[in-house]
Amino acid sequence: MHGSTALTLRIVPVFRFCWVVLKLWSITAARPKLPDAVRRPCPSTRRNGPIMPPLFHDSVTRRAIFVAVCACFDILTGCRGLQPNPVPMGDRPNASPASVPHVTEFGALHAGPVELDLAGPQRVDVLVAWALQRNPAVQAARSRVAAAAQRVPQAASLKDPMMDVGGWPFYPYVQQSAGGRMTVDVVVSQEVPWFGERDLQAAAATQEVRGHRAALQAVTLQTVEDVKRAYYQLQYAEQSREITAQSRTLLNDVLEVATARFATGTTSQQDVLRLQAELGGVDAEIAQWRQEVATAQAELAQVLSVSPETPLETVPLNTAEDLPADVDALYRQAVATRPELRAALADVARDRYNVDLARLAYYPDVTWRAGWGEMTTNRSIVPFADGIDSVSVGLSMNLPVYRQRLDAGVAEATAEFCASAREHDALRDKTLRDVKTLFVQAHSQAEVLQLVRNTILPSSRQALDVAVREYQVGAIPFAQVVDNWRTLLRHQILEQQVQMQLRQTLAALATVVGTDPVAPTVGNDLPQPADIVAASPPPARP
């Protein structure tokens, strides 16, 4: 269907052009020839031989050559511009439509496939590498970089030349002169901007490319953080489910002790019934943790761009997390390498070029013209017409006399430049605040984790063991055993929660810093981006 439409749009202009040519040809051929005395050229103008080559002596031959040239121009340029939907959705440089996943012909989106390669326990670095290849946000950012790169040669190029073709096929409504009757007039023009304007446009477009590249890096870091956050959330849910299941086994052992004591008459049936009720509550908690696992799997599947039905699992991590020690080094690293700051700095440089470009509006743009007119002695009102074709050259330019409009354009560009610089400064301050907040938060969570592991958990386990032994001999009531069991379960889940929060905080800190926060690579002598911009202010107005 689309192929037949494109073929029709290519053929229709050709037929239309051929019809016009044949119509003009029939009008010309139907005209009666004038006597030789009328059509004879002036002897004084032709005594030294013909001025044009012999091929162009006859007006019909010249007209045929001109028609052939125009036909070729129409076929090579006009038909290409009539193709329907020249840039389909999803196309991008170095990419085919087949590489755009899950997109149908009508643009409907399907759920991602169930990836059996990701089934089972997977390390976080494996899932990060998968997400960087399949995540739609990363792919969209790459396409924006490719699209911005294609705007640089467009900004540096001249505008298309213009060709104006006019004719007078209807006699006697024609233009006449001493040289004869004009049949066709062709004018070709080219607009040339002022010196340096195209270079500034290309420089501004180059800064746009740098901004999109920085945005791509920012999306990449954010995707890595999202994968780690979802991965650690899933790990927390899985570990909490396992811990709750193990606690149920321990509570079941206490139930066996209570049942044995009830059989011997050393305890009441109330203890047995309360333990059975507690086991039912534990089963409800395990079901709730299964729901949390399914929800975390769906969150991770979204970042990986796979089906939520993919059975994703995590690998237990028992290693301690390394913490950054120098917050000043993190400040320097974040200001120098955070992608959002680099994108803001590219916007500042782009707006600076736009200021220079607005100042060039005070200078005119030149349009060069070259024209050719076909002259003929056929039906000329001047008996001594020579029929020599006319050739003309010329130029035109705009006159930048409305200073109020030009001044407003420069003021607008300058205000945009100042706004971009202030936005960069605001983002820099926000970055420093985020670094400080996440740095303190990570160290606080690490301290809490150490306290839970080294003090709280051992004390809770010991208290439960003592309570079970004393309950077996009837030294303490049943409620004390259940309370100690609940305390141990709560502290075990707290350990997993604090560990998850610490890892998520370090992942967020890596996104803000722009690299590994544990080993920053920037020295103390690095210049600040704001200082680089301030060192090269815009030039004065001409």
Side-chain angles (χ1 to χ4, degrees):
M1 181 65 183
H2 296 294
S4 61
T5 305
L7 181 62
T8 304
L9 292 176
R10 289 187 179 94
I11 293 177
V12 168
V14 178
F15 279 113
R16 185 175 64 251
F17 184 84
C18 293
W19 181 85
V20 174
V21 170
L22 292 177
K23 186 66 177 177
L24 295 177
W25 191 274
S26 62
I27 294 174
T28 305
R31 294 170 183 168
K33 296 184 178 180
L34 297 179
D36 294 339
V38 178
R39 295 187 295 106
R40 184 181 298 114
C42 178
S44 60
T45 59
R46 295 296 181 93
R47 65 180 56 173
N48 295 327
I51 298 178
M52 294 185 299
L55 179 63
F56 298 96
H57 285 181
D58 184 52
S59 62
V60 176
T61 304
R62 296 196 301 269
R63 187 178 295 108
I65 293 175
F66 174 73
V67 168
V69 172
C70 292
C72 294
F73 181 81
D74 182 74
I75 293 174
L76 294 178
T77 61
C79 297
R80 289 175 60 87
L82 294 174
Q83 297 179 7
N85 194 13
V87 184
M89 181 181 298
D91 285 359
R92 56 187 185 277
N94 301 326
S96 60
S99 63
V100 182
H102 322 317
V103 180
T104 64
E105 182 180 0
F106 303 99
L109 299 180
H110 294 287
V114 176
E115 296 292 344
L116 299 180
D117 296 337
L118 299 180
Q122 299 290 339
R123 300 193 314 271
V124 63
D125 56 341
V126 175
L127 299 183
V128 166
W130 178 279
L132 294 182
Q133 293 295 329
R134 298 288 297 273
N135 187 270
V138 177
Q139 294 179 351
R142 291 172 182 166
S143 298
R144 291 190 184 96
V145 172
Q150 301 304 319
R151 287 194 286 268
V152 175
Q154 299 179 52
S157 174
L158 290 170
K159 294 183 179 180
D160 292 336
M162 300 295 296
M163 185 177 68
D164 185 10
V165 180
W168 294 268
F170 305 106
Y171 188 84
Y173 308 103
V174 297
Q175 183 175 349
Q176 299 275 1
S177 65
R181 180 174 59 87
M182 179 174 290
T183 59
V184 176
D185 184 23
V186 180
V187 178
V188 178
S189 61
Q190 175 65 62
E191 181 180 354
V192 180
W194 191 257
F195 301 101
E197 183 173 339
R198 290 190 295 136
D199 294 337
L200 290 175
Q201 291 176 352
T206 302
Q207 295 300 324
E208 287 280 355
V209 176
R210 293 179 179 176
H212 283 287
R213 287 177 179 173
L216 171 60
Q217 186 179 3
V219 172
T220 301
L221 291 175
Q222 186 62 48
T223 301
V224 173
E225 179 188 350
D226 293 341
V227 171
K228 291 183 177 181
R229 281 183 173 275
Y231 184 88
Y232 297 142
Q233 182 70 34
L234 175 59
Q235 189 177 67
Y236 163 66
E238 290 176 346
Q239 294 294 326
S240 299
R241 181 189 59 187
E242 296 297 328
I243 290 173
T244 305
Q246 295 174 3
S247 297
R248 187 188 187 284
T249 302
L250 180 60
L251 188 62
N252 191 51
D253 295 338
V254 177
L255 177 60
E256 293 179 356
V257 174
T259 303
R261 292 188 60 192
F262 174 70
T264 60
T266 56
T267 187
S268 64
Q269 188 180 6
Q270 182 180 1
D271 293 347
V272 178
L273 296 177
R274 287 187 59 184
L275 280 172
Q276 291 176 350
E278 287 290 340
L279 285 176
V282 173
D283 292 336
E285 292 180 4
I286 294 176
Q288 185 177 1
W289 282 118
R290 283 198 295 265
Q291 177 185 352
E292 293 291 336
V293 169
T295 302
Q297 287 177 339
E299 292 287 342
L300 184 56
Q302 176 189 358
V303 184
L304 298 177
S305 188
V306 297
S307 173
E309 301 300 327
T310 304
L312 299 171
E313 297 180 14
T314 64
V315 176
L317 300 176
N318 298 321
T319 59
E321 299 294 338
D322 295 331
L323 297 178
D326 189 2
V327 67
D328 293 331
L330 293 180
Y331 289 152
R332 295 190 297 270
Q333 183 75 34
V335 171
T337 62
R338 187 180 184 183
E340 289 85 352
L341 284 173
R342 293 166 56 192
L345 191 61
D347 293 340
V348 173
R350 177 205 60 198
D351 292 338
R352 180 184 180 276
Y353 287 121
N354 288 336
V355 172
D356 297 339
L357 192 61
R359 298 186 192 283
L360 290 183
Y362 290 96
Y363 301 97
D365 297 331
V366 180
T367 301
W368 298 92
R369 297 192 312 274
W372 168 74
E374 183 194 39
M375 306 295 295
T376 180
T377 58
N378 185 17
R379 290 195 172 186
S380 175
I381 61 175
V382 181
F384 52 84
D386 54 10
I388 299 176
D389 296 344
S390 63
V391 178
S392 63
V393 294
L395 63 87
S396 62
M397 65 180 66
N398 64 304
L399 299 178
V401 296
Y402 298 108
R403 307 286 293 187
Q404 184 177 3
R405 176 179 60 84
L406 301 177
D407 294 342
V410 173
E412 177 188 2
T414 304
E416 290 290 342
F417 171 76
C418 296
S420 299
R422 298 291 80 80
E423 288 176 354
H424 171 270
D425 295 341
L427 182 58
R428 180 195 58 196
D429 297 338
K430 181 178 180 297
T431 299
L432 298 178
R433 182 206 66 183
D434 293 342
V435 169
K436 180 64 175 180
T437 302
L438 294 174
F439 179 83
V440 174
Q441 183 177 346
H443 280 268
S444 175
Q445 291 169 347
E447 293 177 2
V448 173
L449 183 60
Q450 288 294 112
L451 181 63
V452 171
R453 286 177 175 176
N454 299 333
T455 304
I456 298 179
L457 274 180
S459 300
S460 299
R461 290 193 181 97
Q462 185 178 3
L464 180 60
D465 294 339
V466 172
V468 171
R469 289 195 301 266
E470 292 183 354
Y471 177 71
Q472 290 176 349
V473 298
I476 61 174
F478 164 77
Q480 186 66 38
V481 177
V482 175
D483 183 63
N484 290 347
W485 170 81
R486 279 289 180 186
T487 301
L488 176 60
L489 176 60
R490 184 172 64 254
H491 290 162
Q492 288 176 331
I493 294 179
L494 176 63
E495 177 192 12
Q496 300 299 323
Q497 182 180 6
V498 175
Q499 182 176 350
M500 173 200 67
Q501 294 174 350
L502 174 59
R503 290 169 177 170
Q504 290 180 343
T505 300
L506 292 178
L509 185 59
T511 302
V512 174
V513 174
T515 185
D516 185 10
V518 179
T521 59
V522 177
N524 296 329
D525 56 347
L526 184 75
Q528 301 297 320
D531 299 335
I532 299 176
V533 177
S536 56
R541 197 187 81 177

